[in-house]
Amino acid sequence: MAQAQWWQRGIFYQVYPRSFQDTNDDGIGDLDGIRVRLDYLVGLGIDAVWISPIFPSPMADFGYDVADYRGIDPMFGDFSAFDRLIEEAHARRLKIVLDFVPNHTSDQHPWFVESRASRDNPRRDWYIWRDPAPDGGPPNNWMSNFGGPAWTHDPASGQYYYHAFLTQQPDLNWRNPQVRAAMHDVLRFWMARGVDGFRVDVIWHLMKDADFRDNPPNPEYGPGDPDIRRFLQTHSTDQPDVHSIIAELRGVIDEYDDRVLIGEIYLPIDRLVTYYGENLGGAHLPFNFQLIHAGWSAPRLAELIAEYDAALPEGGWPNWVLGNHDQSRIASRIGARRSRVAAMLLLTLRGTPTMYYGDEIGMENVPIATEDAQDPWEKNEPGLGLGRDPQRTPMQWDTSPNAGFTNGRPWLPLAADSATRNVAVQLEQPASLLGLYRELIALRRAHPVLHAGTYRKITALGDVLVFLRESAEECVLVALNLAGTAQDEIPLPPGTYGRVLLSTGRDREERVEGHLSLRPHEGVIVALDARS
C-alpha cells in the first residue's frame, strides 16, 4: 500500500495516564511518566500513543469531566511537560493522539456555571435544558449511562439539565453553532501545539432527538442489568444529524496536515460504518469493538470479520481493538493462554490495530475491594460488576516495590502477580507474551501484506480459524487454534507450501506442505511460496 497514511500503516497504543508511570511519587501517573517510557514504546514497535484525558478536571469521572479544554490538570503536569513529551515523541517518530471529550463538560466548567446562572444567561443554550414533565418529573425517560435518570433538576431555574453520564457531566448542546465553533477552536489549539489527532469520546452521543421523545423499552432488559439497559437509546444517541457535526470536526482536522480523527462508537456494524461519513468525510477510524464482545469461536470470529469487511464503504479503512479502559482485559475475558492467539489475530487482520497498555504483558483484571473502589459507575450501581477499576490498575514495569510504577501509594492496587508479570521479567524470557508482541509487530512492519493485504477465509470450523493475507507481492497464511486441545492434520488448500515465520510459542520454523498441526492455544503465521 504505497500511499498509505501513517494511521493506516501504524499501531496505536492507549495510555491511561493515571496508571502508566508516576514520576513525582503521588501515586498517580503523569506526562513525564509517559515521556520517560517512550523508549519502551519504541522498542515495542508501536507508532502512535493515544492518551486518555489530561485536562483540568474535578475527576468525578477521572478526566472525562472536563473543566477547561485548553489546560492540563496539575496532577499530570503542565504545558512544559506536555511540550517536552510532544518534542521527544516526535523525535522518536511517535505520534501523539489526545482524548477529546466534546459531548459533555464538568459541571464546574465556566460555561456551565454561566449556563445555570439564569434562564436568560447568554450561555443558557450551550447546554440542554428542558421544562419538567406535567407531573413535575424529568422531561422524558432517558437514563444515565452511570445509573438513574439522565436529568437533574435545578431548583433555582425550575428546569432540568441533561447528562448522559454523571450528574456532574452536563451534555453540551451541539445544535448551538457557538458551541460548535468553540469546540472547533479547541481542536485547533491542540493541533497548533503539535498533537497528531484525536480520539473523540462517545462521538455517537453528540446529537439528540430534537423532540426529546421517550426511548422505547428494551425487551431484553432483565434483573441484574444496569439502568442504561432499561430502554433502547433510540432517541438519545446515533441521530442522523450527528454526521453533519462529525463532518465539521473532520473539516477542522483537515486544516492541518497528517492528522487523524478517531471516533468511539458502540454500535452494530451496519450503524458503525456510517460514521466514515459521506464520501469518507467523517471519522478516519470509527472504532471497531467487535473483537471485544465476540464469542471466542472460529465460526463467530470469521462471521464478524466477513460482516465488517463487507460493510465497509469503498475506501474505508478498517481497524480492530481488543481492549480499552472501559472493558475487561482480554486476558481475563478469554484466559491467559488464549490471549497469545488473540494478539496474533489482532496484529494480522487488515487495518489499524489499537492496543491497551499492559495487554502486551498479559495484565489481568485486578480485584478491587469495595472500600478501594474509585469508579463512579461502580459506586452508583454497586454489586453488578460494572466497575472499571480492575482494568485500570498501574502498569507493571519491574520487580521493585509497586512494580516500578511509583515510589508513593498507587491510586489503585497493583496485581498480586506484579513481581513476576512485568516488563523487566518478560524481556528476559524468550517465550514471553511481551516477546511475542514485539515479534508480531516487527513481522507486521516487515510484511506490509499483514496490514494492507486482502483477507480471505480458508477454514472456520470448530476451534480452528485459518485465513490468507494476500497482495501482489506476497501471500501469508494465518492459522489459529482457539481450543485447549491439539488440532492435527488441518487441511490447507491444495498446493499450499511455505515456511512458518512465527508461532505464538516462538519455537517453530518448519516447512508446511498441504496440512498443518497446531498445539493447544497456538497460532502460526506461514509465508507461502510463490507457487502456492
Side-chain angles (χ1 to χ4, degrees):
M1 191 168 183
Q3 301 303 315
Q5 302 294 315
W6 65 266
W7 48 268
Q8 294 173 313
R9 298 187 305 270
I11 297 170
F12 286 76
Y13 183 98
Q14 182 190 359
V15 165
Y16 195 69
R18 296 180 67 91
S19 297
F20 200 59
Q21 180 67 67
D22 172 28
T23 60
N24 63 359
D25 300 339
D26 64 355
I28 297 171
D30 44 51
L31 290 172
D32 280 340
I34 301 172
R35 181 176 56 81
V36 301
R37 295 297 186 179
L38 290 176
D39 286 340
Y40 165 75
L41 298 175
V42 171
L44 182 59
I46 61 97
D47 301 273
V49 184
W50 154 32
I51 304 174
S52 293
I54 55 173
F55 312 111
S57 167
M59 298 294 162
D61 189 23
F62 298 107
Y64 287 93
D65 49 320
V66 178
D68 178 5
Y69 286 102
R70 299 190 185 209
I72 292 173
D73 196 287
M75 74 168 55
F76 298 125
D78 55 23
F79 277 114
S80 294
F82 181 81
D83 291 341
R84 286 195 301 271
L85 172 60
I86 290 283
E87 181 182 1
E88 294 193 23
H90 286 172
R92 292 166 172 80
R93 298 187 178 181
L94 292 174
K95 305 289 188 179
I96 296 293
V97 172
L98 287 190
D99 229 312
F100 178 50
V101 190
N103 180 68
H104 46 264
T105 71
S106 165
D107 61 353
Q108 296 182 32
H109 195 293
W111 296 346
F112 187 71
V113 172
E114 290 185 46
S115 183
R116 77 186 312 175
S118 68
R119 288 198 183 201
D120 59 1
N121 188 279
R123 284 210 167 98
R124 184 68 169 186
D125 191 49
W126 282 45
Y127 292 83
I128 299 172
W129 294 92
R130 302 288 288 176
D131 289 331
D135 64 359
N140 61 26
N141 69 357
W142 295 359
M143 303 300 292
S144 162
N145 283 262
F146 288 156
W151 297 93
T152 290
H153 187 251
D154 178 53
S157 66
Q159 288 189 312
Y160 284 82
Y161 67 86
Y162 177 69
H163 51 90
F165 295 89
L166 295 175
T167 299
Q168 301 98 314
Q169 293 171 291
D171 277 40
L172 285 160
N173 176 18
W174 274 80
R175 296 187 186 279
N176 185 324
Q178 292 178 310
V179 169
R180 299 200 299 273
M183 297 304 265
H184 295 168
D185 283 343
V186 168
L187 296 178
R188 295 183 181 104
F189 173 84
W190 289 104
M191 287 190 288
R193 288 200 95 95
V195 168
D196 299 291
F198 301 89
R199 172 267 191 188
V200 185
D201 187 59
V202 298
I203 199 171
W204 83 109
H205 275 257
L206 291 182
M207 296 294 274
K208 289 77 174 169
D209 177 51
D211 296 324
F212 293 93
R213 290 170 288 180
D214 278 353
N215 279 329
N218 180 2
E220 298 182 0
Y221 174 77
D225 284 345
D227 281 347
I228 191 61
R229 281 184 52 81
R230 290 180 184 272
F231 302 97
L232 302 174
Q233 293 183 285
T234 304
H235 300 302
S236 50
T237 65
D238 190 32
Q239 299 303 292
D241 44 9
V242 75
H243 297 292
S244 63
I245 298 297
I246 297 172
E248 289 181 1
L249 294 175
R250 172 64 179 275
V252 176
I253 295 293
D254 288 346
E255 292 172 9
Y256 295 76
D257 293 334
D258 297 326
R259 311 302 163 103
V260 67
L261 184 67
I262 304 169
E264 182 198 25
I265 304 158
Y266 284 95
L267 289 173
I269 289 175
D270 63 328
R271 299 302 307 146
L272 168 69
V273 296
T274 66
Y275 284 76
Y276 284 98
E278 186 176 353
N279 298 318
L280 302 181
H284 292 101
L285 298 174
F287 260 153
N288 168 24
F289 298 130
Q290 304 305 310
L291 291 180
I292 291 179
H293 302 295
W296 196 250
S297 73
R300 179 63 191 123
L301 290 174
E303 180 183 28
L304 74 85
I305 293 168
E307 182 185 358
Y308 176 63
D309 192 59
L312 289 168
E314 184 175 356
W317 187 248
N319 70 93
W320 299 92
V321 183
L322 278 181
N324 60 39
H325 63 294
D326 289 328
Q327 304 296 328
S328 176
R329 283 196 177 270
I330 181 65
S332 293
R333 292 201 311 271
I334 66 173
R337 294 185 69 191
R338 285 175 163 181
S339 63
R340 300 177 76 92
V341 179
M344 183 168 282
L345 177 64
L346 175 71
L347 292 165
T348 57
L349 286 172
R350 186 174 78 95
T352 300
T354 296
M355 298 168 53
Y356 183 50
Y357 85 95
D359 280 355
E360 73 272 22
I361 58 171
M363 284 178 62
E364 299 179 9
N365 293 348
V366 177
I368 305 294
T370 302
E371 61 271 20
D372 293 328
Q374 304 282 335
D375 184 21
W377 197 1
E378 173 66 24
K379 293 179 179 181
N380 285 357
E381 298 188 87
L384 299 182
L386 304 173
R388 299 164 297 172
D389 295 329
Q391 60 262 29
R392 298 177 174 183
T393 57
M395 180 65 173
Q396 297 160 200
W397 292 107
D398 57 39
T399 59
S400 65
N402 295 325
F405 165 69
T406 183
N407 291 321
R409 180 183 178 183
W411 78 286
L412 281 174
L414 281 99
D417 67 356
S418 62
T420 55
R421 189 193 304 272
N422 59 62
V423 169
V425 166
Q426 292 198 18
L427 284 174
E428 299 299 320
Q429 296 174 338
S432 69
L433 180 60
L434 177 58
L436 174 63
Y437 264 96
R438 286 162 61 105
E439 198 160 353
L440 278 167
I441 292 170
L443 198 65
R444 183 183 177 89
R445 195 182 301 276
H447 295 267
V449 69
L450 288 174
H451 70 79
T454 59
Y455 167 91
R456 177 157 60 99
K457 183 193 75 175
I458 298 299
T459 300
L461 296 175
D463 298 309
V464 177
L465 175 62
V466 182
F467 56 89
L468 290 178
R469 301 300 314 284
E470 298 171 294
S471 71
E473 292 76 29
E474 58 182 331
C475 182
V476 169
L477 180 143
V478 180
L480 306 174
N481 179 13
L482 311 182
T485 55
Q487 304 292 318
D488 296 322
E489 301 295 313
I490 301 165
L492 300 177
T496 299
Y497 299 91
R499 60 185 176 87
V500 173
L501 290 174
L502 179 65
S503 80
T504 50
R506 302 180 69 202
D507 59 356
R508 292 178 66 171
E509 296 181 354
E510 77 268 21
R511 295 280 302 171
V512 171
E513 296 187 10
H515 65 272
L516 183 66
S517 295
L518 295 173
R519 294 170 295 192
H521 302 304
E522 182 183 31
V524 296
I525 301 173
V526 180
L528 299 184
D529 294 346
R531 59 178 171 160
S532 60

